[in-house]
Amino acid sequence: MQDTVADLDSATYEQVARLLGSARAAEMLGLLQETLVRLSGMPQDELVSRAGLASVHRLKSEAGLMGFNRLSRACEVVDTAGARGSIQQGDLQNLREAIATARWIIGARIRTPVQLSP
């Protein structure tokens, strides 16, 4: 897995880190990681339940705010399909892959915090 612009917009993340401070941004990454761990362990029927879809809906915004573009888009697709009552298996698979990639990226960022440029 790679830290690419498609998965994480580093400029957005750095902007958030500047606004909130590195420590608070790292704390937010930790909270995001907790959500990702919880969702990645959910069986499919729980993920597509009302509570699971509510978590996906919240994650859509949180991921977008932190610059996780691919994850935010995958959440948007599942969220929209869930509202219509017709979630495709491929969309769930894309969401799970985006979650896995985001977890990997967050793990790497937590181990090596972002260095803000002046």
Side-chain angles (χ1 to χ4, degrees), residues 3 8 10 13-14 17 22-23 25-26 29 33 68 103-116:
D3 183 354
L8 175 64
S10 293
Y13 177 76
E14 285 183 25
S22 294
L29 278 181
Q33 179 80 311
F68 287 89
R103 286 183 65 190
W104 181 85
I105 291 169
I106 291 171
R109 292 231 169 225
I110 290 173
R111 287 188 299 278
T112 311
V114 66
Q115 297 298 316
L116 299 176

Side-chain angles (χ1 to χ4, degrees), residues 66-93:
M66 296 299 289
F68 287 89
N69 297 332
R70 177 180 175 209
L71 178 58
S72 184
R73 284 191 308 272
C75 288
E76 172 69 27
V77 168
V78 170
D79 185 38
T80 300
R84 288 190 310 245
S86 62
I87 302 171
Q88 300 297 311
Q89 193 62 36
D91 295 336
L92 288 173
Q93 182 60 36

